[in-house]
Amino acid sequence: MTDRGLVVACALVFATLFGVAVLGLAQVASTYQWCGQDVAGQLASTEVVAELRLDATPAVVCRSGAVTLAVPIAPVVASVVFAVIGMAISLVTVVITARRVRAARRR
């Protein structure tokens, strides 16, 4: 594979993984919003507290008085972490390849 092909492939991988990360974050935001609005109507309560818990078992926790609902988001968090790591690897590969191309042109 040529250096240019490698850069293009890594750029496409970066863009794809960026999309995965954005969709994952959007899902977490949507779950958080759902907790704050729709759960209040279902529990017939006006005060629902939504909190994002990012510990060993990531979840969006909805609290209304004595009622607590934890919506797990571990798969989403794992996909966002995977996407960020993949984006970093793609970016490093592009930088290394660009340096190699510049060095080859100087010769």
Side-chain angles (χ1 to χ4, degrees), residues 14-59:
F14 182 88
T16 302
L17 292 174
F18 181 77
V20 169
V22 168
L23 287 174
L25 293 174
Q27 185 175 358
V28 170
S30 174
T31 303
Y32 187 85
Q33 183 180 9
W34 168 82
C35 179
Q37 294 176 354
D38 293 344
V39 172
Q42 292 176 3
L43 296 177
S45 173
T46 57
E47 189 173 326
V48 173
V49 177
E51 82 180 45
L52 185 61
R53 187 178 69 200
L54 294 174
D55 54 7
T57 56

Side-chain angles (χ1 to χ4, degrees), residues 57-81:
T57 56
V60 173
V61 179
C62 309
R63 289 193 177 102
S64 176
V67 178
T68 301
L69 173 67
V71 180
I73 56 170
V76 176
V77 172
S79 67
V80 169
V81 169

